Amino acid sequence: MRISEFASLQEGPRGHAPRKQLLEKIPEDAEATLVLVGRAAFLDRPTLAFVRLREAVELDVVLQVPVPVRFLFMVLGPDSPHISYHEIGRAVSTMMAERGFRRDAYLAEERQDLIKGVEEFLDCSIVLPPCEIQNEQLLRSLVPMQKELLRKRYLPDEKKPEMKILKDLGLAEKAIEEEEDPLRRTGRPFGGLVRDIKRRYPKYLSDIKDALSAQCLAAVIFIYFAALSPAITFGGLLGEKTSNMIGVSELLVSTAAQGIIFCLLGAQPLLVVGFSGPLLVFEEAFFRFCESYGMEYIVGRVWIGFWLIILVLLVVAFEGSFLVRYISRYTQEIFSFLISLIFIYETFAKLIAIFQKHPLQKSYTSRDPQPNTALLSLVLMAGTFFIAFFLRKFKNSAFLPGKLRRVIGDFGVPISIFIMALADFFIKDNTYTQKLSVPKGLQVSNTTARGWFIHPLGKNKDFPIWMMFGAALPAVLVFILIFLESQITTLIVSKPERKLVKGSGFHLDLLLIVGMGGIAALFGMPWLSATTVRTITHANALTVMAKTTTPGEKAHVQEVKEQRISGLLVSILVGLSILMEPILKLIPLAVLFGIFLYMGVTSLNGIQLYDRILLLMKPPKYHPDEPYVKRVKTWRMHIFTFTQIVCLATLWAVKSTPASLALPFLLILTVPLRRFLLPKIFKDIELKCVDDADVTFDETEGRDVYHEVQMPI
């Protein structure tokens, strides 16, 4: 941490406000390095001292913020035209900001250890002249060189003597965790699964403590409706397409049960487990197949479930989740944009259906009043969306005290639902609005055809033996659907800009989600996956944004409340919804349409593809100062965006046709498209800036890191 950044702040008319705002951005366990340089005429030669205190202490008279100081660096010397003491101070501050040298400074036992640390720092540095670099080929050649230098510098090695010291200090676990790649194959059966458990479960207690926040409570109420509405909607569609063999009751119970288990055992509890459109398409197609061949559909699902369990055990045993590393930002953004569009489209599709069933009335008379259902539904949907969206913005405004403003912002969605449901309740002109439909009691949707347990050999007739083995083929398709959506959702929610610190577990989460789905088929319940939009919405609801300290500063994420309780409570509430029918039936469906729209729109934030699509309509002088804008020619950036738009349009077209089962395979094709075809059209540095935004997954750090050319002193 460069102490000069603190020294440059001055108190203005508002007194301690800048100091307080700056302190909120500093981690609780941060320690400072005090760098003091100056000239002394009475000295004949420079004098230097580097001090490491046994315990960090606060020096109130020196720093403007109460950060404990661990290191002191002082250099004094006579006036000399050949020595810049200011640059020496900058050099030391730069080295202390690098974690490798900082580790050496903590562990140094004598002067020679510190000198060795300086030498290693310089060995991994690339020095460029202070001038504009015209040769792009030079920059392209430096990036892999710097990556290799950093890989060797940060490569964990438990045999190194400093690792033993770190273990003695209790810091080894943190150091290894920062440098471990969760997708790196161990070469041992189930090695990735074991590593996920060892890495994530030690944080279990903090997953409970971190939930003690009003923001988490607000997220529970919001995500409850965000999870309940799709469960009821998809449940109704499932009932229509499967002759009520699976309906709302089964989907509610499945969502609740699998959600509870996942939140208790999962490695990334921010994931929201639920039903999705691609799975609905499969269920409809498989039901038609079973009907045409005279087989029991609900029994066929049991055998698909058995094969799902076998498949996931094989994939996890051989650490197959490492394939996720080939899914770049290019594919992630296309997928997340597609899911957001589906939510937005479904909102207006449902509203249009209401307008078609209840068209607007051209005139009204006192003798024959005609309730305007369509208009009221539009008002309820738009009102819910705009109130929730306004309160989201209000949270970061300058009105009202900060704590009250944040509480209102956190509860923005529940407030909007309550206001619009109340408005509908008090409208007394008998205008009809469709209400939320929740089943009464814990019973299956089709009581005459099935119970809660499905016999694998069939109920009315024996299930064909050939289909018991043939079910492996549809099981592969279901597995691909769940694998893609769950793993891509984990990648999206784990992006470095979200600043998650507890990590994820690709192997463990995949085993839980697919394994639970396989067992659920025995009870006639649908298999689920990690849902992208609901998960992003969940993460956004738990995100704490840092306050800006200077005018024009871009807001950024301070932290995310990583905990298990919000998802656990949401799952419990979804299960209890079967018993809450008298209350939930008062909520108009149009209000939930507004929540659908809010989730779709807000989940677009942070998707670079969405930002670049907006740039297509902006003159270059209004483009932001981003790497994908400044380091790439505008027309070439637009061509890259156009390729993603074409992929997105193709996926949308396939989704809307009977060939929708091919959707996951087409999505997979975007991976080789990005890896093999686009490099023939775009330069490597352009792909780095636009696709990765100078971010790639670094094996030595186990996370996305910036690979910019470092310029030391």
Side-chain angles (χ1 to χ4, degrees), residues 562-637:
E562 298 179 67
Q563 37 74 46
R564 299 178 182 271
I565 303 303
S566 61
L568 179 65
L569 292 179
V570 166
S571 300
I572 294 174
L573 288 175
V574 169
L576 292 176
S577 298
I578 297 178
L579 308 177
M580 298 167 60
E581 186 264 345
I583 299 175
L584 295 177
K585 70 179 182 180
L586 300 176
I587 301 176
L589 271 183
V591 170
L592 298 184
F593 296 166
I595 299 303
F596 263 60
L597 182 61
Y598 175 84
M599 292 167 60
V601 171
T602 55
S603 62
L604 288 174
N605 294 330
I607 301 178
Q608 191 196 101
L609 172 59
Y610 174 70
D611 297 334
R612 284 189 274 109
I613 290 176
L614 295 181
L615 293 182
L616 291 171
M617 298 175 284
K618 291 183 180 181
K621 65 179 180 180
Y622 296 115
H623 288 186
D625 187 15
E626 298 288 349
Y628 60 84
V629 174
K630 297 301 181 181
R631 302 183 187 180
V632 181
K633 292 181 179 179
T634 302
W635 67 273
R636 292 183 66 82
M637 176 188 69

Side-chain angles (χ1 to χ4, degrees), residues 167-233:
K167 287 182 178 180
D168 295 339
L169 294 175
L171 302 174
E173 179 183 350
K174 182 178 180 181
I176 295 175
E177 179 186 4
E178 290 179 350
E179 299 171 357
E180 187 175 6
D181 179 0
L183 292 174
R184 183 167 47 207
R185 303 182 73 179
T186 64
R188 300 185 302 272
F190 296 100
L193 175 65
V194 173
R195 189 173 55 191
D196 286 347
I197 294 174
K198 289 181 178 180
R199 180 177 59 249
R200 195 60 181 83
Y201 281 3
K203 301 181 178 66
Y204 206 98
L205 184 59
S206 68
D207 288 339
I208 300 175
K209 292 181 179 178
D210 292 345
L212 302 177
S213 168
Q215 187 169 355
C216 293
L217 176 61
V220 169
I221 301 175
F222 171 25
I223 302 302
Y224 164 62
F225 287 102
L228 179 65
S229 180
I232 293 175
T233 303

Side-chain angles (χ1 to χ4, degrees), residues 153-410:
R153 179 163 176 78
Y154 297 143
L155 185 66
D157 186 359
E158 296 192 14
K159 295 181 180 180
K160 292 181 179 179
E162 56 264 29
M163 292 303 296
K164 182 178 184 303
I165 301 175
L166 283 173
K167 287 182 178 180
D168 295 339
L169 294 175
L171 302 174
E173 179 183 350
K174 182 178 180 181
I176 295 175
E177 179 186 4
E178 290 179 350
E179 299 171 357
E180 187 175 6
D181 179 0
L183 292 174
R184 183 167 47 207
R185 303 182 73 179
T186 64
R188 300 185 302 272
F190 296 100
L193 175 65
V194 173
R195 189 173 55 191
D196 286 347
I197 294 174
K198 289 181 178 180
R199 180 177 59 249
R200 195 60 181 83
Y201 281 3
K203 301 181 178 66
Y204 206 98
L205 184 59
S206 68
D207 288 339
I208 300 175
K209 292 181 179 178
D210 292 345
L212 302 177
S213 168
Q215 187 169 355
C216 293
L217 176 61
V220 169
I221 301 175
F222 171 25
I223 302 302
Y224 164 62
F225 287 102
L228 179 65
S229 180
I232 293 175
T233 303
F234 282 126
L237 293 174
L238 264 175
E240 294 176 5
K241 298 180 185 300
T242 64
S243 297
N244 252 4
M245 296 302 292
I246 300 178
V248 176
S249 296
E250 290 82 3
L251 192 48
L252 284 176
V253 174
S254 182
T255 302
Q258 295 188 45
I260 291 173
I261 296 173
F262 183 80
C263 289
L264 291 175
L265 302 178
Q268 180 49 275
L270 294 182
L271 298 180
V272 177
V273 178
F275 199 73
S276 62
L279 289 173
L280 175 64
V281 173
F282 171 83
E283 295 281 10
E284 180 183 8
F286 186 68
F287 178 78
R288 290 178 180 176
F289 172 81
C290 292
E291 287 283 299
S292 61
Y293 283 90
M295 295 182 293
E296 291 184 88
Y297 155 76
I298 203 72
V299 179
R301 295 183 75 261
V302 173
W303 287 98
I304 292 179
F306 290 157
W307 282 108
L308 280 177
I309 295 175
I310 295 174
L311 284 172
V312 75
L313 287 174
L314 289 174
V315 171
V316 173
F318 290 98
E319 303 176 290
S321 291
F322 84 95
L323 295 172
V324 176
R325 68 167 66 254
Y326 298 111
I327 303 177
S328 68
R329 182 189 289 260
Y330 186 86
T331 301
Q332 294 175 38
E333 291 188 338
I334 293 174
F335 180 76
S336 56
F337 200 104
L338 175 67
I339 301 299
S340 297
L341 280 184
I342 290 175
F343 267 74
I344 297 172
Y345 170 81
E346 290 297 330
T347 298
F348 288 102
K350 290 178 173 64
L351 187 65
I352 291 173
I354 293 177
F355 270 73
Q356 292 173 342
K357 188 175 182 180
H358 306 279
L360 290 172
Q361 307 300 326
K362 297 182 178 179
S363 61
Y364 296 90
T365 62
S366 58
R367 296 179 180 178
D368 185 20
Q370 297 176 330
N372 205 328
T373 296
L375 183 59
L376 180 57
S377 298
L378 174 62
V379 171
L380 292 175
M381 185 206 76
T384 305
F385 170 77
F386 284 112
I387 291 175
F389 196 80
F390 168 76
L391 293 180
R392 173 188 171 96
K393 298 293 184 182
F394 179 80
K395 181 179 180 180
N396 297 319
S397 68
F399 298 98
L400 301 182
K403 292 184 178 180
L404 177 60
R405 187 174 66 241
R406 285 191 290 274
V407 170
I408 294 176
D410 292 338

Side-chain angles (χ1 to χ4, degrees), residues 35 62 100 170 196 236 264 302 378 439 464-465 505 615 617 650 689 704 709:
V35 180
V62 177
D196 286 347
L264 291 175
V302 173
L378 174 62
I465 296 178
L615 293 182
M617 298 175 284
T650 304
C689 292
D704 286 340
V709 179

Side-chain angles (χ1 to χ4, degrees), residues 643-694:
T643 64
Q644 288 182 289
I645 294 176
V646 171
C647 294
L648 184 64
T650 304
L651 290 172
W652 185 272
V654 171
K655 182 198 75 70
S656 306
T657 65
S660 54
L661 284 176
L663 186 66
F665 299 106
L666 287 179
L667 185 62
I668 290 176
L669 289 179
T670 61
V671 176
L673 171 68
R674 164 62 181 86
R675 291 182 62 85
F676 302 113
L677 182 59
L678 289 186
K680 298 182 182 298
I681 304 174
F682 300 95
K683 300 176 182 178
D684 186 55
I685 191 171
E686 291 174 333
L687 291 175
K688 284 291 181 186
C689 292
V690 181
D691 186 22
D692 299 327
D694 284 345

